[in-house]
Amino acid sequence: MTKQTISPQSDRLESVDALRGFALLAILLLHSLEHYNIFYGNAPRPEWMQMLDAKTTEFLYFLFAGKAYATFSLLFGFSFFIQMRNALRRGSDFRLRFAWRMLLLVGFSQFHALFYNGDILLLYAVCGLILIPASSWSNRTVIIVATILMLQPLCWAKIIYALINPEYVDTNSEFVKYAIAAEQVGRNGNLWQTLANNIWNGQLYSNFWQVEAGRLFQTPALFLIGMWLGRKSLFVNSAESLAFWKKAAVCAVVACVPLYLLKELVPPHISNVTILSYYGIAIPMLYNFAFMTVLVSGFMLLWFHAGNGYKAQRFISPFGRMSLTNYIGQSIIGVILYYHFGFDLWDKTGAFESIIIAAVVFVFMLTFSRKWLETHRQGPLEYLWKKGTWINFRPEEKQGKAIA
């Protein structure tokens, strides 16, 4: 295994919990805006409310779409580094335990997917396996592999093939037929119909979309970068970290400009549907990564400037500390609020009202997280995940403790 410098950072970094909390809040806002995958169909609304809805949607999509998920994924890779670091300190190898941990995550994903057909945990469990061999790679190799994956090689291979064979047609939209079935049940089905439909159509919808949206390459890339950031101790306040995030912010801002122009100006001039489909994945993915880097860099620079974060940053740490519980919890609450079997709000609320609802859900879950953590070290699902991770398969095996 590659020798790594173990920094004297604490088992939990509040800056990471806070950043994860803000990413999760952004996910909650976007999911509520989308009525948990029941799109469109709102009842007639006054023109001024339609304009307010449009501006709300435009602003939130510009700021968070593709960036919140990317930040959440980045920190997943960082968490793996923390677990590996702690195991190294004990003189043990965490890699097999991590594989088992990913299998347990599959179980959490299946519970989550019963309610919400936009689950990402199954993708995380599969893509997370790359971290096992990557834990022995050099930092240089980690960055090279992450860069290749981030560039979406499959998309460019499809584009090149379509250029050579113009008659080839691939709309990259296999998920659509499953999405239509899943959305119809959300609009009209009872609880049992919703759960039964999500076992098949919901799963296929979610996972086909993840693959076709480029996340099968982007996700492991972000995991690797998150691990690399952990190795370099770049979430710890230091002169080196400050210099890194300043440089990252400048480079990302510079990259955002041409990537935004490529994203917006080129597609109208592409007539080949296959090329358009895959170009529309590769370039926006790179733009979203650059934009995410701006947001994360800005967050960390503010955190370091205040010494240990501003109060406006630290207040959300409990929400991020219980990220698994809150990620699954917000989905279940959201589905109950918007789906037909629950309060059926999908056709009664526009974008602006949906954001207000998301804010109320967030306050409730943040309050719950604070109260829970007053008497517990972890959230309820985090606790179950940790206990399952460290189950003693062999009586003679001495169990260790890891950060969930």
Side-chain angles (χ1 to χ4, degrees), residues 97-117:
R97 284 284 176 181
F98 184 75
W100 168 245
R101 186 174 173 84
M102 292 300 95
L103 185 59
L104 293 175
L105 188 58
V106 172
F108 284 112
S109 79
Q110 295 311 290
F111 172 74
H112 181 227
L114 277 176
F115 296 91
Y116 176 46
N117 53 44

Side-chain angles (χ1 to χ4, degrees), residues 164-196:
I164 298 172
N165 302 278
E167 72 282 358
Y168 175 68
V169 176
D170 182 353
T171 59
N172 197 35
S173 57
E174 183 67 21
F175 76 93
V176 172
K177 58 186 177 184
Y178 304 109
I180 292 172
E183 187 169 339
Q184 286 303 312
V185 173
R187 294 182 183 216
N188 305 301
N190 59 35
L191 174 60
W192 302 115
Q193 289 170 331
T194 301
L195 298 179

Side-chain angles (χ1 to χ4, degrees), residues 85-388:
R85 185 199 67 180
N86 291 343
L88 284 172
R89 285 176 170 175
R90 295 190 303 271
S92 60
D93 191 338
F94 184 67
R95 287 176 292 186
L96 286 178
R97 284 284 176 181
F98 184 75
W100 168 245
R101 186 174 173 84
M102 292 300 95
L103 185 59
L104 293 175
L105 188 58
V106 172
F108 284 112
S109 79
Q110 295 311 290
F111 172 74
H112 181 227
L114 277 176
F115 296 91
Y116 176 46
N117 53 44
D119 170 72
I120 63 169
L121 298 179
L122 181 59
L123 180 72
Y124 274 28
V126 173
C127 293
L129 296 176
I130 194 176
L131 293 168
I132 296 175
S135 64
S136 62
W137 297 348
S138 68
N139 286 338
R140 182 173 180 269
T141 300
V142 167
I143 291 302
I144 290 174
V145 174
T147 300
I148 292 171
L149 292 172
M150 188 65 70
L151 290 172
Q152 298 292 330
L154 177 62
C155 288
W156 294 110
K158 289 278 190 175
I159 289 171
I160 292 170
Y161 185 80
L163 287 170
I164 298 172
N165 302 278
E167 72 282 358
Y168 175 68
V169 176
D170 182 353
T171 59
N172 197 35
S173 57
E174 183 67 21
F175 76 93
V176 172
K177 58 186 177 184
Y178 304 109
I180 292 172
E183 187 169 339
Q184 286 303 312
V185 173
R187 294 182 183 216
N188 305 301
N190 59 35
L191 174 60
W192 302 115
Q193 289 170 331
T194 301
L195 298 179
N197 183 75
N198 279 339
I199 291 174
W200 183 251
N201 287 322
Q203 290 268 23
L204 292 173
Y205 168 26
S206 173
N207 291 295
F208 268 115
W209 182 85
Q210 305 260 23
V211 172
E212 294 177 338
R215 287 187 173 181
L216 189 60
F217 287 89
Q218 184 199 47
T219 303
L222 291 165
F223 288 175
L224 292 172
I225 294 170
M227 182 182 70
W228 178 84
L229 291 171
R231 286 183 178 183
K232 304 290 285 186
S233 298
L234 293 172
F235 288 113
V236 180
N237 195 346
S238 67
E240 292 79 10
S241 297
L242 189 63
F244 171 81
W245 289 114
K246 285 181 178 178
K247 184 176 180 180
V250 172
C251 292
V253 168
V254 171
C256 276
V257 176
L259 287 171
Y260 180 80
L261 294 176
L262 289 171
K263 178 175 77 79
E264 296 295 320
L265 300 182
V266 173
H269 302 285
I270 300 176
S271 57
N272 184 299
V273 66
T274 304
I275 295 174
L276 180 62
S277 297
Y278 286 97
Y279 183 92
I281 296 298
I283 297 302
M285 279 285 190
L286 292 174
Y287 169 74
N288 286 337
F289 174 71
F291 200 128
M292 178 216 67
T293 303
V294 174
L295 296 177
V296 172
S297 299
F299 183 93
M300 295 309 304
L301 290 172
L302 286 172
W303 188 277
F304 293 156
H305 183 267
N308 189 35
Y310 288 97
K311 186 176 181 180
Q313 293 176 300
R314 294 197 309 272
F315 90 102
I316 203 172
S317 294
F319 189 62
R321 188 172 170 183
M322 288 174 44
S323 57
L324 180 63
T325 297
N326 287 325
Y327 173 67
I328 293 178
Q330 59 90 19
S331 294
I332 294 174
I333 292 172
V335 165
I336 291 172
L337 288 173
Y338 290 107
Y339 279 37
H340 180 71
F341 75 82
F343 290 88
D344 202 25
L345 295 180
W346 68 270
D347 66 342
K348 302 177 180 66
T349 54
F352 186 74
E353 295 100 321
S354 297
I355 295 308
I356 299 300
I357 291 172
V360 173
V361 172
F362 165 69
V363 170
F364 166 76
M365 300 193 76
L366 176 61
T367 302
F368 171 74
S369 298
R370 288 184 180 279
K371 293 294 183 182
W372 181 272
L373 291 173
E374 286 177 1
T375 54
H376 301 79
R377 293 186 62 184
Q378 298 171 300
L381 296 188
E382 286 77 8
Y383 173 79
L384 291 175
W385 198 15
K386 178 180 179 180
K387 295 297 285 187

